[in-house]
């Protein structure tokens, strides 16, 4: 009975040993990478918004249509804006019609200035002669004071006439300028009720329907450059310090399962999103897939560095990031270097001909 038990125990141990997975370190390559996720976007992709509120009167475009810069996309009801523009135009035209009347006033004021100037010249001459003869006591004090007072009054009258003429000219210019500005403001405000495209491209989607009440916060459409796409990726703040422009990226997408595409980091936005704790980067495909669409999801591995022909072990053989099993159950501490999703670089503590065992 005991022999049978021992035999059974030996069989169990033998099976256990037989089923233990083992391997030896191998020479290979280890690539360190940073994970990122994001979406595909069209070049210059942007969401169209209105700067004014109102009812959407008409949609002038269709989804998939090619759009030119400045093309009218949407028309918002603008009856009030039209009335304001008409009122400003009437005021501007009225100021132009009154222009001749004001010019006549300026001409009339110019004659008054000339008359005041002539009187000033005459009174100045009389005053000068009176002052000269006064030195010889050939004029009474009263007559001299009269001549002096007349000169001073003429001088003041001439200065006042010049000032009135200048103010009249400024008034004319200011009124015309003000009415012109008011007209342009009204025209600009009315123009805001026609939503136009900021770029040329393709209309990917129209997000509203005619008759909808919209505001400046209402997204109206999405437009982007046709057949030109980029990757917009989010990188965790813990990994961002290792990411640089020009690094290679390996891209995988659900739309192309089993395929990997090369891309390159082109742009890094130097500010972190406080909500997601991530940084945004832009990348471009080296050779893009045959078909792409905006908002397709993508996963990326940004290649930080690669070491070739180094001693490696499978990552799942590593215990607590610093131990391996030798002699099936003996833990040995090793020093590791780079690691990827499959392999770990061994720097110290293990030789190429030694056997290690998979932890249970």
């Amino acid at each position: 009975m005991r022999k049978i038990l021992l035999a059974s125990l030996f069989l169990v141990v033998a099976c256990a040993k037989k089923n233990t997975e083992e391997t030896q370190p191998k020479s290979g390559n280890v690539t360190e990478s940073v994970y990122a996720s994001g979406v595909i976007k069209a070049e210059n992709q942007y969401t169209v918004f209105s700067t004014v509120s109102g009812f959407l009167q008409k949609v002038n475009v269709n989804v998939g249509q090619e759009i030119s810069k400045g093309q009218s996309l949407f028309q918002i009801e603008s009856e009030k804006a039209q009335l304001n523009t008409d009122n400003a135009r009437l005021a501007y035209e009225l100021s132009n019609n009154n222009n001749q009347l004001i010019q006549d006033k300026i001409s009339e004021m110019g004659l008054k200035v000339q008359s005041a100037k002539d009187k000033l010249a005459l009174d100045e001459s009389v005053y000068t002669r009176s002052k000269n003869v006064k030195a010889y006591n050939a004029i009474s004090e009263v007559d001299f004071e009269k001549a002096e007072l007349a000169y001073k009054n003429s001088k003041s009258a001439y200065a006042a006439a010049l000032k009135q003429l200048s103010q009249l000219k400024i008034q004319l210019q200011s009124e015309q300028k003000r009415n012109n500005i008011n007209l342009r403001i009204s025209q600009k405000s009315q123009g805001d009720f026609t939503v136009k495209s900021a770029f040329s491209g393709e209309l990917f989607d129209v997000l509203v329907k005619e008759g909808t009440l919209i505001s400046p916060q209402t997204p109206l459409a999405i437009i982007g450059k046709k057949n030109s796409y980029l990757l917009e990726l989010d990188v965790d703040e813990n990994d961002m310090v290792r990411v640089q422009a020009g690094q290679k990226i390996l891209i995988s997408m659900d739309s192309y399962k089993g395929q990997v595409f090369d891309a390159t980091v082109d742009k890094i936005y130097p500010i972190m999103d406080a909500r997601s704790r991530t940084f945004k980067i832009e990348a471009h495909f080296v050779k893009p897939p045959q078909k792409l669409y905006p908002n397709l999801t993508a996963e990326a591995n940004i290649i930080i560095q690669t070491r070739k022909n180094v001693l490696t072990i499978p990552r799942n053989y590593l215990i607590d990031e610093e131990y391996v099993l030798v002699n099936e159950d003996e833990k040995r501490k090793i020093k590791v270097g780079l690691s990827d999703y499959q392999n770990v670089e061994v720097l110290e503590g293990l030789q190429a001909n030694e056997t290690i065992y998979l932890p249970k």
Side-chain angles (χ1 to χ4, degrees), residues 42 44-48 63-65 67 73-74 201-207 219-224 294-295:
N44 298 329
Q45 180 176 325
Y46 77 104
T47 302
V48 180
V63 173
Q65 179 179 340
I67 304 297
L73 305 176
F74 303 95
E202 181 178 0
L203 181 65
F204 293 117
D205 198 5
V206 174
L207 306 175
L220 304 179
I222 299 175
I223 294 176
N295 297 337

Side-chain angles (χ1 to χ4, degrees), residues 126-127 130 134 138-150:
V126 172
Y127 170 67
S130 299
K134 185 177 182 296
I139 187 174
S140 67
E141 188 67 29
V142 173
D143 290 338
F144 174 75
E145 289 178 353
K146 286 181 179 180
E148 183 180 27
L149 181 61

Side-chain angles (χ1 to χ4, degrees), residues 40-46 202 204 223-230 293-295:
I40 307 296
K41 283 196 171 182
E43 294 276 2
N44 298 329
Q45 180 176 325
Y46 77 104
E202 181 178 0
F204 293 117
I223 294 176
K225 191 174 180 180
K226 186 176 182 179
N227 297 326
S228 183
Y229 297 91
L230 58 83
Y293 300 94
N295 297 337

Side-chain angles (χ1 to χ4, degrees), residues 182-252:
N182 288 338
L183 176 59
R184 289 166 59 190
I185 290 174
S186 297
Q187 290 174 334
K188 175 64 172 61
S189 298
Q190 185 180 358
D192 290 341
F193 285 83
T194 300
V195 181
K196 299 178 180 179
S197 176
F199 301 99
S200 297
E202 181 178 0
L203 181 65
F204 293 117
D205 198 5
V206 174
L207 306 175
V208 289
K209 295 182 179 180
E210 293 181 359
T212 304
L213 178 62
I214 63 173
S215 70
Q217 290 75 40
T218 305
L220 304 179
I222 299 175
I223 294 176
K225 191 174 180 180
K226 186 176 182 179
N227 297 326
S228 183
Y229 297 91
L230 58 83
L231 290 148
E232 191 173 280
L233 304 172
D234 294 323
V235 179
D236 189 87
E237 62 173 319
N238 297 320
D239 300 319
M240 192 59 216
V241 293
R242 295 184 289 170
V243 178
Q244 298 178 6
Q247 288 175 328
K248 180 180 178 181
I249 310 177
L250 301 179
I251 303 294
S252 59

